[in-house]
Amino acid sequence: MQTDRSFQVRAAEAPRDRISRAIEVVESGLIEREDHARVLVLAALCGEHLLLIGPPGTAKSELARRLHRIFGGRYFERLLTRFSVPEELFGPLSLAALDEGRYERDIAGYLPDATIGFLDEVFKGNSAILNALLTLLNERVFDQGSERVETPLISLVAASNELPHEDTLKAFEDRFLFRYPVAAVADDHFAELLAIDPDRAAPSGEAILDRNGVAHVATLARNVPLTGAVRDALLALRVEMRERGIEISDRRWVRATRALRIAASTNGGVRVELTDLWILKAILALDAEQADRLESWYCDCIGAAEVVDPQRCARIVQAFEKQLELERSATELAFDDAGKLSLMRRRSTEDGSDLGDSAPRISAFSRGRRYSATHVAARLSQIDDVVRQFDGYLHAAKEHSTSVEARLAAHLWVPARVAQRVADVLAATAARVTELRSVLMQVREGYFGLPLTEDDNDVAPNPVQILD
């Protein structure tokens, strides 16, 4: 009776709410593991496997156990060594089957019977174990004598201190679509770590998700499209990673796209948006450095959707600064009322001595260039146009920032710290444009200081050229 009531409760609860509650269960009481909780749950919903990379004592096995709690079913956990044998993972040979001439294993309670599994130091397994694992991971089947039997495995969580260097192991490692580094708690949260009660029981409760839910999620996400902005961003990322010497296989890109569709769909979206791309950090990165670089790319990618380009704004301001400097330093020949050259300064040598009776240099008849009122007005008008553009940029940036912050705050798969990081990037962009606007206003004031001609020829100068 309890099972039926639990099923009714789960069915009445919205899928997104169930997933959100599952994430809360996984990360509850753990420090600096909000990223890992999301990646872990998403990997399971995608029907994919997760590789956690990091030193011992960083809650890798605890994360796997919590994933089992939210899915229920059987759980299997084992530490692999180079001396491990297949019987430890797949069960002993069935003596009853041998008596009947069949080569089968008693798999009850072992990995082929588990919904969630955890293998620590997975790359230390020998070739017999890894080859058997490949079939189990890829196809969810297990070779049982002359037959292949389906397994209930939803996701396997594996752990290792480091990534393998051998080519044979790299092929096995590539079967884990999700890979995420796990580090020790940072000093900023060390006091919280010390306050943890090691004897405190982990969060418990009934299963929140199940295999049927995983299949349903995959069905709903199958036709979720990618926006044009997302396709452009992925192509640019592929080119950038290739230039850095990081080659991502076509198979991984295809599976990553499927994961993006599932992430967007479970988040309540009808298409994959730029805000959904954070999960690529857990799919494309091989180490902590690459993961951080991909998160920076994500922050920049979110900012690229706005109309503000601070680099172009800087080029505009620099162009006006240079133009003002040129016009301030420009000279012209000075003529008196009779139309003759007028001596503008005392004739002297560079060391300050008098030139005597020698002829004055032409520079002695030069003065600072004077400009017509039309010239100055034209420059001021162009600057005013740019200032209005900057004001429009800042207004659009504020609206964009508000929109992005709201979407990220409510996003199922983007951790709060990432949302704050994106908000900081957008705020820094707006601050930079505000600073450039202030410099441009100073340039504008500088044009009021240019010397004016007495007569206005009504000839406006060519606009200041901005190089894109």
Side-chain angles (χ1 to χ4, degrees):
M1 189 65 179
Q2 177 65 33
T3 302
D4 292 340
R5 185 170 62 84
S6 299
F7 174 79
Q8 291 171 4
V9 170
R10 292 198 301 271
E13 188 178 13
R16 191 182 188 281
D17 294 337
R18 291 205 304 273
I19 296 171
S20 179
R21 189 155 58 90
I23 294 173
E24 291 177 3
V25 170
V26 174
E27 70 175 323
S28 175
L30 299 180
I31 301 172
E32 295 182 357
R33 295 296 177 262
E34 59 175 347
D35 292 24
H36 306 82
R38 284 159 175 78
V39 171
L40 197 70
V41 175
L42 180 59
L45 286 175
C46 291
E48 296 286 355
H49 311 293
L50 169 65
L51 175 62
L52 297 173
I53 309 160
T58 49
K60 296 189 292 293
S61 60
E62 177 60 23
L63 286 167
R65 296 185 193 109
R66 293 188 179 202
L67 182 65
H68 164 249
R69 291 190 190 101
I70 66 174
F71 275 98
R74 289 186 179 274
Y75 176 69
F76 180 83
E77 179 177 325
R78 194 69 83 234
L79 170 65
L80 296 186
T81 70
R82 59 193 181 97
F83 301 110
S84 296
V85 293
E87 284 75 12
E88 296 180 43
L89 273 68
F90 309 117
L93 291 175
S94 171
L95 297 180
L98 282 176
D99 288 340
E100 298 176 4
R102 302 193 312 274
Y103 189 86
E104 297 178 357
R105 294 184 182 274
D106 287 328
I107 61 175
Y110 289 87
L111 184 58
D113 191 37
T115 55
I116 300 295
F118 176 70
L119 297 181
D120 201 2
E121 295 299 336
V122 66
F123 297 117
K124 291 185 178 179
N126 56 44
S127 59
I129 289 177
L130 298 184
N131 288 336
L133 280 174
L134 278 176
T135 303
L136 187 60
L137 298 184
N138 290 342
E139 304 176 40
R140 301 300 200 284
V141 295
F142 178 70
D143 290 326
Q144 183 68 299
S146 60
E147 298 181 357
R148 280 194 163 184
V149 296
E150 293 187 1
T151 68
L153 184 66
I154 294 175
S155 181
L156 176 71
V157 181
S160 177
N161 292 340
E162 60 183 1
L163 287 171
H165 301 291
E166 299 87 345
D167 290 339
T168 54
L169 292 180
K170 286 183 179 179
F172 176 72
E173 177 267 331
D174 191 56
R175 295 304 187 269
F176 293 89
L177 179 63
F178 288 83
R179 304 170 294 201
Y180 211 79
V182 187
V185 172
D187 292 344
D188 292 345
H189 298 104
F190 186 63
E192 297 176 49
L193 179 68
L194 297 180
I196 290 179
D197 179 4
D199 298 323
R200 182 185 60 186
S204 59
E206 63 184 22
I208 303 172
L209 305 171
D210 54 32
R211 285 174 55 86
N212 292 333
V214 172
H216 183 63
V217 162
T219 300
L220 292 178
R222 187 169 292 124
N223 296 320
V224 173
L226 279 64
T227 63
V230 167
R231 290 194 296 270
D232 292 344
L234 294 180
L235 176 59
L237 177 61
R238 185 190 193 201
V239 172
E240 179 182 341
M241 295 189 75
R242 184 185 296 142
E243 290 174 349
R244 293 180 179 274
I246 305 171
E247 195 66 43
I248 305 298
S249 68
D250 291 347
R251 176 177 59 193
R252 182 166 288 271
W253 278 115
V254 170
R255 292 165 67 194
T257 303
R258 177 178 178 272
L260 285 171
R261 290 191 171 99
I262 291 176
S265 177
T266 52
N267 187 53
V270 295
R271 63 184 63 85
V272 179
E273 306 278 1
L274 290 173
T275 48
D276 299 314
L277 299 185
W278 179 82
I279 69 165
L280 291 177
K281 167 184 180 179
I283 297 176
L284 303 182
L286 282 172
D287 52 39
E289 181 181 353
Q290 289 183 17
D292 188 65
R293 185 177 292 124
L294 277 167
E295 187 165 288
S296 297
W297 169 83
Y298 172 76
C299 294
D300 292 342
C301 191
I302 295 298
E306 59 186 308
V307 295
V308 178
D309 182 353
Q311 293 182 347
R312 186 174 189 280
C313 291
R315 290 195 296 271
I316 292 173
V317 173
Q318 290 169 1
F320 278 101
E321 285 184 308
K322 184 177 180 180
Q323 186 64 37
L324 177 60
E325 181 182 350
L326 288 173
E327 294 183 4
R328 277 176 169 172
S329 59
T331 59
E332 63 183 7
L333 294 176
F335 297 90
D336 57 21
D337 294 338
K340 297 181 179 180
L341 288 175
S342 177
L343 192 64
M344 296 303 299
R345 60 184 177 85
R346 183 171 66 89
R347 292 173 293 161
S348 61
T349 60
E350 291 183 358
D351 61 2
S353 60
D354 290 339
L355 289 171
D357 295 332
S358 61
R361 298 178 180 178
I362 192 66
S363 59
F365 299 98
S366 299
R367 66 182 179 190
R369 183 177 176 181
R370 299 186 179 189
Y371 299 90
S372 67
T374 299
H375 178 101
V376 174
R379 290 284 186 248
L380 294 176
S381 177
Q382 188 180 6
I383 292 176
D384 290 341
D385 287 342
V386 174
V387 170
R388 282 191 289 272
Q389 290 180 27
F390 279 23
D391 290 341
Y393 293 163
L394 291 171
H395 178 73
K398 184 177 180 180
E399 289 187 340
H400 176 74
S401 179
T402 301
S403 172
V404 169
E405 288 179 31
R407 281 183 288 158
L408 293 184
H411 203 290
L412 194 61
W413 304 112
V414 178
R417 62 159 194 86
V418 178
Q420 183 58 53
R421 182 174 178 180
V422 171
D424 292 343
V425 169
L426 294 174
T429 298
R432 175 58 176 157
V433 175
T434 300
E435 178 187 358
L436 291 170
R437 183 189 186 281
S438 177
V439 174
L440 190 59
M441 293 302 294
Q442 294 176 14
V443 173
R444 187 181 190 279
E445 290 298 318
Y447 272 101
F448 283 106
L450 290 180
L452 298 176
T453 60
E454 295 180 0
D455 298 324
D456 192 340
N457 57 12
D458 293 327
V459 177
N462 293 325
V464 175
Q465 296 298 312
I466 311 298
L467 298 178
D468 290 323

